[in-house]
Amino acid sequence: MSTATYEKVRHLIPEVEWAVFEPEIEAIEALKREHDAVILAHNYMTPEVFHGVADIVGDSLALAREAQHVTAGTIVLAGVHFMAETAKLLNPAKRVLLPDLRSGCSLAESITPEDIAELRRQHPGVPVVTYVNTSAAVKAASDICCTSGNAVEIIESLGVDRVIMIPDQYLARNIAARTGVEVITHPGACEVHERFTPADIDDIRSGNPGVTVIAHPECPPNVVAASDFSGSTAQMIDFVGQVSRAGVPDAGGRRKVALITECSMSDNVAAEHPDVDFVRPCNLCPHMKRNTLTAIRRSLELGQHEITLDPTLEAPARRAIERMLAVK
Ligand code: 13P
Ligand code: SF4
């Protein structure tokens, strides 16, 4: 393991802990070579995964795009089930492994194809825009997918006054506020982001004058409204870069940022921006956190858990994702 990797995370991971991670990281690197595998990792991975073993990191949109271009035989998706399923849909010839099958998502679990059929009955002719945080079966019942990184452009591309946007009620309302398109919602929510409140933002601002507050759009609209910027995890990271380059420093010459999202984001971005101080109000996503180094090593050793698709859903689910990727 290169010293350069440890230098990046030294202020996050004590040496004694790194000594435990290092042999796992070396074993994973050897297994990747042995099995012609790459690791695609979401921005919510812990630093030892994000900086230690990931080949490609990003938000849901970037991981989907990158999955299309993987030439290695195996993709290990260090993220959650819908991300692995999306990778398989977009690159079906590859073996796609998810280290722990319990890595679900409260949004994906909140909706079924029958719910979509009912929404279509209630709102005939209104297109269904489906967040990628859903199962292949739900995507297959949809007109087009979106992610938090492209939802505005996807909705505007449809050229309609009303859309059904499922399953995240908060994302739908946050995007509606930016598009002027009427949005019919479903009562889904992210178990991590729905817990943030405007009072949390008030506390952060009063304790940290000058702080820049950056919220994920799965947060409730009153939290997004109280923030300075909202965007996908990749857009949040880019915004930290802007603050680092051009933000107004406090009296001590430091720039302060609060990322209103899953805990590991601040750790991963802090490693890239030692010049920025991170206020850390965060909630853990238990599903993302199942991707430990040990789980990833075992996934490569045992070839588990391989993602398979229902052949009847494959073409319509892929169509909804590819339609999205053609827009942005
Ligand atoms: P991003 O697409 O912004 O990375 O979000 C994925 C996710 O699960 C956020 O909770
Ligand atoms: Fe799902 Fe929320 Fe976890 Fe993202 S953070 S995977 S939306 S439960």
Side-chain angles (χ1 to χ4, degrees), residues 251-324:
R254 303 287 298 171
R255 293 174 176 86
K256 261 191 198 160
V257 157
L259 298 182
I260 312 301
T261 190
E262 212 274 344
C263 302
S264 293
M265 272 276 288
S266 294
D267 292 341
N268 293 330
V269 192
E272 307 285 353
H273 291 288
D275 55 314
V276 175
D277 289 337
F278 288 80
V279 184
R280 293 168 190 263
C282 69
N283 294 326
L284 272 174
C285 174
H287 312 291
M288 292 279 185
K289 299 290 94 117
R290 292 192 188 279
N291 293 278
T292 59
L293 287 175
T294 305
I296 292 170
R297 175 176 52 73
R298 288 183 64 76
S299 175
L300 279 161
E301 278 169 355
L302 304 172
Q304 67 186 23
H305 299 274
E306 188 169 354
I307 300 295
T308 55
L309 299 168
D310 177 337
T312 63
L313 300 174
E314 213 173 318
R318 184 177 304 121
R319 196 177 317 121
I321 303 172
E322 286 182 343
R323 205 174 155 202
M324 165 187 88

Side-chain angles (χ1 to χ4, degrees), residues 44 80 105-107 133 190-192 218 285 287-288:
Y44 290 162
V80 292
C105 170
S106 65
L107 283 167
N133 297 39
C190 161
E191 68 190 78
V192 174
E218 290 169 8
C285 174
H287 312 291
M288 292 279 185

